Amino acid sequence: MADLQDDLHTAAEVGRADEPYPQEAVVVGPEEYRPVSDPDDAPLDRARAVLAAHPVCDGYSGLPWTLRGLPWYDLDLGESAVDTDLPRLRQGQVGAVFWSLHLPDGHDDGRALTTTLEQLDLAQGVVAAHDAGLRPARTAGEVVDARNCGRVAVLFGPAGAPALGDSLSVLRSLHALGVRVLTLTGTSWAGPSGLTRFGEEVVREMNRLGMVADLSYASAPTIRRALVVSKAPVLFTRSGARDLRPHPANLPDDLLAAVGEAKGLCLVPLTAEQAGPTVRDVADHLDHVRTVAGPESVGLSGAYDTGSAHPQELRDPSCYPRLIAELLRRGWEESDVALLTWGNVQRVLRATAFTSHTAQQRRKPSTATIVTLDG
């Protein structure tokens, strides 16, 4: 990542447990831990205590598309037709979640923008209809505000790059409507050969706007070039460790190391296909990413309501404390758990906003087109 990023990472932005943001809740102290009679329950009890101070920021949920197919639902009381509802989010101590606007495989790209806008409209309507438990958020500060008000913050994105129709004007319009993450795959300018000149301009315009680049499922050349071009941290919303499980969206160690050097963030998905069938398999991926990329470059992505199979112990968002308990059993420090669940996503959001503020002082909205740059 470019040199500007060197100015972005203060201790407060990282969000370690021993240096919380002033506006956030106070870290739960040992005296508040619920006493346990069974020693085997101690890690789960500690996990709930850590999550009370540093809740989960879930990096990927497919709920908007799933709700499209339901004639009626009630997320406040609970909804058996989906993986995610407010009771389960509260039980899992989820404080924020990214709602995907991706289109299913095989969907007509000719209507990509229309369908993306329909999903965004539905998602915003769902949040408005459940305002006692959900609150829309666009910035790190709004995420914290929602949490302090007892709501789950909902961030809209990632959206798919085909929705742009190769237009930077559409990119700016999506950002104005609240989309905060864009996946750089499925286009001529972000393909197997990497980013074209227009693709690089898209990344620069995203930096100026304050939109995060998602590189899960992107080609290795696209990933490497985006890490160089982007002045803001990049996300991998659904990527584990390829050395542990050879899935196309999982990252090999050399790319994980590059992500760590660029202060990017790899969100490990809680799916059986990418991480494995047990909670221990998911923890293995988190251990591996933390070792290779660093503790500031690993996060969580439930990937619930995407049609994917999940590990038996992690069937829905209410099960997050079980995963955190497994990490504590393995000797994870609570400060590193706090980064995993909350601090790392906050850092990326704050750094992206800082980069946007700086870039807007230096450049005007881009008027480049794919024809002029790529021919």
Side-chain angles (χ1 to χ4, degrees), residues 220-296:
T222 294
I223 293 171
R224 292 190 183 281
R225 189 57 187 160
L227 290 175
V228 172
V229 174
S230 180
K231 291 180 170 63
V234 300
L235 274 181
F236 293 80
T237 57
R238 294 175 293 167
S239 293
R242 190 174 296 178
D243 278 16
L244 301 185
R245 204 160 185 93
H247 188 277
N250 290 347
L251 300 178
D253 280 0
D254 60 332
L255 285 181
L256 283 174
V259 171
E261 291 174 4
K263 302 299 183 184
L265 181 54
C266 178
L267 305 177
V268 174
L270 277 56
T271 65
E273 181 182 10
Q274 284 187 250
T278 71
V279 67
R280 294 180 181 87
D281 294 320
V282 177
D284 288 343
H285 279 259
L286 295 171
D287 279 337
H288 191 88
V289 174
R290 183 180 69 150
T291 299
V292 178
E296 296 178 10

Side-chain angles (χ1 to χ4, degrees), residues 10-22 24-30 33 46-47 49-55 147 295-296 324 328 332-344 346-347:
T10 65
E13 286 172 334
V14 170
R16 289 187 175 276
D18 55 349
E19 294 179 347
Y21 298 117
E24 294 183 7
V26 177
V27 177
V28 177
Y33 289 170
R46 287 179 60 209
V50 173
L51 289 174
H54 305 277
R147 172 197 169 186
E296 296 178 10
I324 302 308
L328 293 172
W332 278 52
E333 297 290 338
E334 292 184 10
S335 59
D336 283 349
V337 173
L339 287 174
L340 172 78
T341 60
W342 184 259
N344 286 337
Q346 282 288 94
R347 172 184 64 81

Side-chain angles (χ1 to χ4, degrees), residues 117 120 124 138 156 171-180:
L117 291 175
L120 178 60
Q124 291 173 335
R138 301 187 181 196
F156 300 116
L171 175 68
R172 288 187 285 270
S173 297
L174 288 173
H175 177 268
L177 290 171
V179 178
R180 286 299 177 266

